[in-house]
Structures are given as structure tokens and as C-alpha cells.
Amino acid sequence: TLAATAEQLAATGQWQRLTRLLPALEQGLYFLGVSEEAVRQTAQAIGSLGGHHLSQHQYNRAHEVVHLLQRIAARAPQQSENSQQIQDAIADVLKQLSSLPMLEHLLDRYLHSEAHREVAGKLLAELGAHSAQFQLQQLMSNDSSFERRRLLELIRQTGNPALSILLEQLNRDSPWYVLRNIIRLLGEMGNPDMFPQVRSFINYPDARVQREVINTAVRIGGEDTSDFLLHALLHVPDSLKSKVVTHVASAYDERFVRPLTDLLESTKPFQGKNRGDLQIAICKTLGVIGSKRATTSLGRVAESKNILGLGGYPDEVRQAAASALAQIREKAGVQPEVEDTGGDEPVPGREAPATSSLQQPAATGTLTEEEQIFNLVAQGQRDLAKRRLVELIGATARTGDFREAERLRERIYEIDPMALAEIIRTGEVIEQEKKGAIPEEDLSIWARLIDRLSSEEFQTIYHEFRERRFKPEETIVSQGDRNDELFFINQGSVKVSHMTGPRELFITTLSRGQLAGENFFTPSVWTVSLTSLTPSRIFALPQATLSAWQEQFPALRSKLHEFYTTSNNIHAMLDKKGLERRRDQRFKLARKIQVQPINALDNPIGKGFRSETTDISVGGLAFLIRISKQENARLLLGRRMQVLLPVAGPNPYLHLKGLVIAVQPFQILENDFSVHFKFDQAMEQDELQTVLG
């Protein structure tokens, strides 16, 4: 009866009534004994409603309908004996909605309308396989690099429906950039079962495709990664060997020692831009592998002399070899020999946080030099003091201590407020050193983020990252934590899960180039857990650090938030899988309340403030509060409160104590926030009924 009614409502265009019927239709599909005809009628009626909203350009309403169809299809295998019928019927409806004119219209909105981009992208991502095929065709035929980047983002959002189409297209005759993009997407979205179809492209004639195959191997190669890298090390062009060598460091496989040492000492002509970079990478990788079999070769390199007219190794390579030797000896418990390498310069690149012998004396030396410079100022030798301070700033920046370099640069004003040339020049030196200190691999991983930020913005946040490494199955953050960092996944795979009682529910996985941070943009406790599935390297950006840059980079927060929403699909997956993290049913309730902070002894503090509730459940309630500065909203998180809720009966108030677990924007223009308040003890159902009347 419900299905036939829905069909008639759609046929007569009674869209509001059909919308009100949607919850009943969704539940009805899961009843036992529902006929195939009723399934078809229901799916077609819901699809007609979505088509109506699309024709009226009501994109948000259309997305709600399409999202409902996807949710029904996802839940059907667990909740209905007619699961295949439901999935087939919904697939037919989505195909009908995905007409070529409609897909072209939505793509135009996605590419060229900032106002409609987000919702148009969601629609295209959830319209299924037909939409995924259309997206891939557009990617292959598009000449605009800007539009290709946006199409790549869209295909990532589309997820599983796009994977089979990507694999089909991989074996067709396509331009190099299409193959590269397909391989990149498979690396970000795929799994180890798909890697055998990708690995053969390491022999593709274009080095750009080969480079992407190497990146994909590290992401989804699984158990085959080491074998693949060993093959690639011997067969890829010289220009790609550095990339392979860098990835080998994470394999910890002694099979690589002999090929690496042979390559390190090879006298064959090098067909790349910089042989020295490759040799430094080999030394670092041998140091990480830690095999004694490499010590003879490394020793020869470290002790070699670069005599004019004869071949040899640059100083940087000899220093890298000496460092690798020391690393191997330390692992083996052998005391390293003291050796004068002829210089103090560290090996360039972002290293683990171990403090080098250069860095600690530098703190004392820098302070002494700084004092000497300002003694010169006191003696009236300002020009000499300026020159020495400029040199000191450059030397400090070259060590990678950019915060100290910036502090010293500010002191130029104390010597001569009009020394604009020196101020500008030292700023350029610092920026150049910052740029050079970012490894090429990290620039590649965060290319999509770099497209959104200015060079200065990215360099600033990069050098404030706190690097952390996690072993497989190690917890990064737990459900219920108040961690307010933003996690940048630089390497590895991270599981997102949610605990419901004793059961752990898998939600999705995040990989390199994606962000996670539930408590970063909106104050709340974490409702999911992050666990490292593979050895992971993660950059953490503290909330307080971003707040400190508000004046210097006022648009940085919004840019990061926009990138976060496109690179993090946790909430979308929760909705798609029908996982409701709220345990209790909520009821709308608009009632004036009194809110009071309470101390450690559970006694109220002060008079508190008046507010108004928006909803309530047996486990908690939400109320509104006006906060002039958004950053102050975070101060409420984790605070214990007492709510005085008026009710009918002999006791005019309920005294409800609990904890603030989230503070979310409600009306941004009015500075209104919704505070989510969890009761210490859940209410009884009859008590809730009394509140609701």
C-alpha cells in the first residue's frame, strides 16, 4: 500500500507529501515478504522525487534523495531478504537520473560554480557507476590542468563505483597523462589485489607514468612491494632511481644492500640531473637498513679523496656515507671512530628529531654572536653590526632553525629601522631555505594542498609540523579524546573505527595526502578512533599554532578547512553505511534553561547564564549560546555544568549535571553556537516523557 501510494504521489506531482512519506518507505523496504513490484514502485517513486529536484535545480534536496537511495542500497544486505532486488532497482533508478544532459549540467556546476560546487560534487559522486564512467571520460578528454585536478578530486569522492571502471580503462590505449591519473587514483583508492595490473606499467616509455607506478607500489603494493622495488631499482631510468631508493628505506630488506652498494660505487655515466642526490639517498637508505654488509662500501666512499683532475665523491656524499656508517655501528653496538670530515654542515633534508652535534653548540654560539653584534651597536659600529647580523640570520636559516632566524630578523629594526634592503634580503634568504628544506616527496604528496595555499602559507605550516611515527596497530587517537590537532597523513594507512558497546565498527581508511581532525575546526570530543595499519609517518599541526597565525594569514584556516572537507570522507562514510553514532533518539525541545558551571566538588559556581534548548534525549541535550569570538567556543569543551530544566509537577526544576562534549556553529553570522551536553546519568523514559509533556 505504501509503495502504490508513493507511485501515485509521484505520478500526480505531489512532491511535499511524497517527501513526508520517505521515512516510512525506507523502513517498509526492509519488511519481510515485500514483493518485487513493491520494491520497484518504491525505488521509482523516490527516484522521481530526486529527478524533480534536479529539474528545479534544487541541488541540496536532490542530494538528500540520492543519498537516501545509496543508504538503502548499502543497508539492504544486512536488513532485507530482498537485498538483491533492492540494489538492482536502485541501480536502475540512479542510471535513469544520470542522463548525459544532467551529468554535464552537474559537472559544469562542480567545475565553475563555487556556490554549487560542493553539492554538485556530492551528487556526481553518489549517482553511481554511470556517473563514474562519465567522470573518467571527461578526465581523458579535458585539456585544462585546473579542471583535471578537480575531476581527480571528484573521482576520489566517487570511491568504489569508479574502481572497476578505472581498471578497465587502464588496459586501453590512453594518453600518458590519463594513465598516470588512473594509476594515481588506484594508489589512493585501491587495494593490494589491484597492484598486479598496475606494476607492468613500470616499463611504460614515459617516466611520469613510471614515477606514479612507484608511488602506487608503496601505497597498495602490500607483500609484493619489496620485490617490485628491487626490480625497479635495477630497471628504471637513472632519473627515477632516487625515488626508488627513498622508498626502499621503509622496506628494511637486506636484499637491497648489494644493488645499492653497486649503484653507489658505479662508474657508469649518470643520465640524471644530480648524481650526488642519488648517492646521498643511497647512503641514508643503507644507514636505515643497518646491514654490516654495507660497511665496506660506505667506508670506501667516506674515506675517498676528491683530488683535482680525478673522480671522487662530493663532500656531502662523503659526509652522508660517514653518517650511515655511524648509524650501522650504533645498531650493532660498535663505538664509532672519531673522524674529522672537514666541515660542520648537516646532510640536507628533513631528519628525525634526534639532535645533532651541530645543533646544541649552535644555541650557545648563536647567543654569544648575538651579544657581540649588539655590543658593536653600543660602540656605534652599526653598519658592521648589520652585516654580521645578516650573516648570522643566513647561517641560522641554513641549519633549519627558521623560528630563530625570524626572531633575529626582527632585531634588524633595533639596529636600523630604515634598513629595508637588509630586512627584505634576509626575508628572501629565510624563504629560500624553507623551500629547499622541504623534500620533493613531501611536495608531491601535498601537491593538492599546495594548490590551495600560497607558498608562504604552506612553508609556514610545514615547518611547524610535529612529525610522529606509528607502528602497525598503534593507536593515534582514541574515541572520546579531546585532542585538538590536525593530522596530515604523510605515509602509511590509517584505520578509522567507532566503538558501539564492545563492538568495533570499521568506517574507512585514510592514506597519504589526507587529513583527520575531528576536534580541530569544531570543538568536540573524538567520536572515532584512528589506528595505524602500516608503518605511518604523520605530521600534527596543533590548534594553538594555527591560532597564532590568524593575523599573518587570515584566510589560512578557511583554506585548510576547505581542503579538509574534500580530503576527509569519514562523515560521508558514516552516513553511507548507516552508522548512527548517537545512541539515543533525540526530540526537539525549545525551553528556557539556566546553565551553571560546577567545580570539582560538583557545586555550582556563580549565577551562570540563561539559554534555550534545541533538542533532548535520555542521554543529554543541546542548548544555544552566543559567543563573540569563535576561538572562545573551545573553552567550553570538557567543562562540567549543571542545567536547571523547568518541568511541570511538584518539583519545578530538574537539576541535570554533566559534561560539554561538543560546541558547533549554529548561526555563524549571529555568533550562535550549539552546545552538546551529556548527562552524568541517563534519564528514565518516563522522566523524559514528563519533560516533553
Side-chain angles (χ1 to χ4, degrees):
T1 303
L2 279 169
T5 302
E7 185 178 50
Q8 289 299 314
L9 291 174
T12 54
Q14 298 190 57
W15 307 116
Q16 290 185 347
R17 288 180 171 172
L18 181 55
T19 299
R20 293 171 63 185
L21 201 60
L22 289 179
L25 290 170
E26 180 181 4
Q27 293 180 44
L29 282 173
Y30 304 136
F31 291 160
L32 296 177
V34 175
S35 69
E36 185 174 355
E37 175 64 12
V39 170
R40 185 196 63 78
Q41 288 176 314
T42 301
Q44 288 289 340
I46 297 174
S48 297
L49 178 61
H52 166 73
H53 290 320
L54 285 171
S55 67
Q56 300 299 310
H57 298 171
Q58 297 169 336
Y59 303 117
N60 285 305
R61 292 183 179 180
H63 174 252
E64 290 173 2
V65 174
V66 172
H67 187 67
L68 171 64
L69 288 168
Q70 287 285 9
R71 185 170 72 234
I72 292 171
R75 294 178 65 182
Q78 291 82 33
Q79 302 202 18
S80 174
E81 62 178 7
N82 300 328
S83 61
Q84 193 58 52
Q85 294 176 6
I86 294 173
Q87 291 176 320
D88 291 345
I90 288 176
D92 289 341
V93 168
L94 292 175
K95 186 175 181 180
Q96 292 168 19
L97 290 174
S98 303
S99 64
L100 183 59
M102 182 55 67
L103 292 176
E104 289 175 340
H105 175 76
L106 288 173
L107 184 63
D108 179 70
R109 300 290 86 191
Y110 174 74
L111 293 175
H112 305 121
S113 170
E114 287 302 320
H116 297 121
R117 181 191 170 199
E118 183 178 356
V119 68
K122 289 178 179 178
L123 278 165
L124 286 165
E126 295 198 27
L127 279 171
H130 203 63
S131 175
Q133 180 69 59
F134 170 77
Q135 294 165 34
L136 189 59
Q137 289 172 348
Q138 295 298 311
L139 178 65
M140 290 189 296
S141 62
N142 201 303
D143 295 327
S144 165
S145 59
F146 167 77
E147 292 187 358
R148 284 205 302 268
R149 281 199 301 272
R150 287 205 163 178
L151 281 163
L152 285 170
E153 290 181 18
L154 180 59
I155 294 172
R156 288 189 193 95
Q157 293 178 43
T158 301
N160 287 334
L163 284 174
S164 58
I165 298 169
L166 290 170
L167 289 171
E168 285 178 21
Q169 188 63 43
L170 189 63
N171 297 310
R172 296 179 182 173
D173 187 16
S174 303
W176 70 266
Y177 60 85
V178 172
L179 288 174
R180 182 194 64 183
N181 288 338
I182 290 173
I183 293 169
R184 179 183 298 171
L185 287 166
L186 288 171
E188 295 177 356
M189 302 160 53
N191 56 62
D193 293 338
M194 299 175 180
F195 182 64
Q197 298 185 57
V198 174
R199 65 177 300 162
S200 61
F201 285 88
I202 195 63
N203 301 317
Y204 192 81
D206 193 294
R208 290 165 290 191
V209 174
Q210 294 175 330
R211 180 185 294 271
E212 205 56 56
V213 175
I214 295 168
N215 292 335
T216 297
V218 177
R219 294 170 185 161
I220 66 168
E223 296 178 354
D224 296 332
T225 304
S226 292
D227 291 340
F228 169 81
L229 290 175
L230 191 59
H231 170 85
L233 184 63
L234 300 174
H235 296 94
V236 298
D238 288 346
S239 59
L240 292 177
K241 288 190 188 296
S242 290
K243 177 169 281 291
V244 177
V245 170
T246 302
H247 289 317
V248 165
S250 61
Y252 302 100
D253 192 331
E254 289 213 10
R255 291 182 299 163
F256 290 99
V257 173
R258 180 61 182 272
L260 287 173
T261 54
D262 288 348
L263 189 58
L264 177 63
E265 297 188 272
S266 172
T267 58
K268 292 180 181 179
F270 183 74
Q271 304 296 322
K273 289 185 178 180
N274 194 335
R275 187 186 192 113
D277 287 347
L278 172 61
Q279 292 169 330
I280 290 171
I282 291 172
C283 292
K284 289 183 176 181
T285 297
L286 289 171
V288 171
I289 293 174
S291 172
K292 293 181 182 179
R293 293 164 52 200
T295 55
T296 302
S297 178
L298 288 169
R300 283 196 293 265
V301 174
E303 295 169 8
S304 66
K305 303 298 180 183
N306 194 1
I307 303 173
L308 187 63
L310 299 176
Y313 295 91
D315 290 343
E316 295 87 352
V317 177
R318 291 190 294 111
Q319 291 172 16
S323 297
L325 271 173
Q327 194 173 353
I328 293 171
R329 288 167 177 161
E330 184 180 353
K331 286 183 180 178
V334 178
Q335 193 67 23
E337 299 176 7
V338 178
E339 180 180 356
D340 183 5
T341 61
D344 291 333
E345 286 297 317
V347 178
R350 188 186 184 102
E351 299 294 331
T355 306
S356 70
S357 59
L358 168 72
Q359 290 171 319
Q360 286 192 346
T364 304
T366 299
L367 185 60
T368 304
E369 177 71 10
E370 188 177 350
E371 287 176 344
Q372 292 174 0
I373 288 169
F374 280 89
N375 283 338
L376 290 173
V377 175
Q379 297 166 15
Q381 301 183 58
R382 292 182 178 274
D383 290 342
L384 177 58
K386 275 192 295 185
R387 288 199 301 272
R388 298 233 338 230
L389 184 55
V390 168
E391 292 170 0
L392 178 59
I393 292 167
T396 305
R398 283 191 290 276
T399 68
D401 192 350
F402 302 114
R403 183 172 292 182
E404 177 68 6
E406 291 283 6
R407 186 190 70 79
L408 291 170
R409 181 170 173 253
E410 291 294 322
R411 300 211 70 182
I412 296 176
Y413 291 97
E414 299 177 33
I415 299 175
D416 182 1
M418 300 304 293
L420 298 182
E422 288 82 359
I423 292 166
I424 293 171
R425 187 165 73 251
T426 51
E428 291 172 347
V429 167
I430 293 171
E431 289 306 311
Q432 190 61 36
E433 291 296 332
K434 279 183 177 180
K435 185 175 181 181
I438 302 177
E440 180 185 351
E441 183 182 8
D442 289 357
L443 291 172
S444 175
I445 292 169
W446 299 108
R448 291 190 300 124
L449 175 60
I450 294 170
D451 286 345
R452 295 174 182 265
L453 307 182
S454 68
S455 298
E456 188 179 6
E457 287 172 333
F458 180 73
Q459 290 164 18
T460 299
I461 66 169
Y462 183 88
H463 292 293
E464 290 294 333
F465 284 154
R466 298 176 181 176
E467 183 177 319
R468 294 176 187 163
R469 294 177 183 265
F470 296 90
K471 300 175 183 177
E473 299 304 318
E474 187 174 355
T475 299
I476 299 167
V477 65
S478 298
Q479 183 175 326
D481 284 356
R482 289 175 54 193
N483 187 304
D484 65 354
E485 294 172 308
L486 186 60
F487 295 110
F488 294 70
I489 301 170
N490 208 60
Q491 210 169 46
S493 180
V494 173
K495 176 181 70 175
V496 183
S497 61
H498 174 73
M499 294 297 296
T500 301
R503 291 174 52 221
E504 181 184 31
L505 302 177
F506 170 79
I507 298 172
T508 187
T509 57
L510 302 175
S511 57
R512 52 199 262 163
Q514 291 186 283
L515 307 185
E518 276 207 292
N519 188 16
F520 193 80
F521 297 104
T522 302
S524 66
V525 297
W526 279 70
T527 59
V528 296
S529 295
L530 302 183
T531 307
S532 180
L533 292 175
T534 62
S536 299
R537 177 173 170 240
I538 293 176
F539 296 152
L541 181 66
Q543 170 68 224
T545 302
L546 184 63
S547 300
W549 297 328
Q550 183 61 33
E551 186 174 342
Q552 185 180 1
F553 304 117
L556 180 56
R557 178 181 290 273
S558 61
K559 290 179 182 179
L560 278 176
H561 194 191
E562 183 184 358
F563 181 73
Y564 173 81
T565 57
T566 60
S567 69
N568 180 303
N569 63 345
I570 293 175
H571 290 289
M573 291 302 297
L574 282 167
D575 292 341
K576 194 170 184 178
K577 294 187 177 186
L579 296 177
E580 176 57 67
R581 291 174 292 172
R582 294 172 176 171
R583 297 180 179 180
D584 307 312
Q585 182 180 2
R586 295 194 174 200
F587 301 91
K588 291 188 179 300
L589 179 72
R591 191 165 300 176
K592 301 291 184 183
I593 59 172
Q594 185 76 13
V595 183
Q596 293 176 292
I598 55 179
N599 59 22
L601 300 175
D602 272 2
N603 295 322
I605 306 171
K607 295 182 178 179
F609 55 90
R610 294 185 63 80
S611 183
E612 183 174 347
T613 61
T614 58
D615 59 55
I616 192 171
S617 71
V618 292
L621 57 79
F623 61 84
L624 299 179
I625 184 172
R626 182 159 295 180
I627 303 174
S628 58
K629 292 185 178 181
Q630 186 170 351
E631 56 268 25
N632 290 340
R634 192 170 296 275
L635 300 177
L636 287 173
L637 186 63
R639 291 293 300 271
R640 287 189 51 71
M641 302 275 191
Q642 175 178 268
V643 169
L644 274 63
L645 179 68
V647 292
N651 297 317
Y653 291 99
L654 284 179
H655 292 70
L656 303 168
K657 294 180 179 180
L659 189 72
V660 175
I661 60 170
V663 185
Q664 299 176 347
F666 187 76
Q667 292 284 354
I668 290 295
L669 295 179
E670 301 294 333
N671 293 322
D672 284 345
F673 289 79
S674 172
V675 179
H676 296 260
F677 180 74
K678 180 181 179 182
F679 301 149
D680 287 344
Q681 294 183 338
M683 301 171 66
E684 299 293 337
Q685 284 291 344
D686 56 351
E687 191 175 20
L688 176 62
Q689 190 61 47
T690 302
V691 173
L692 295 173

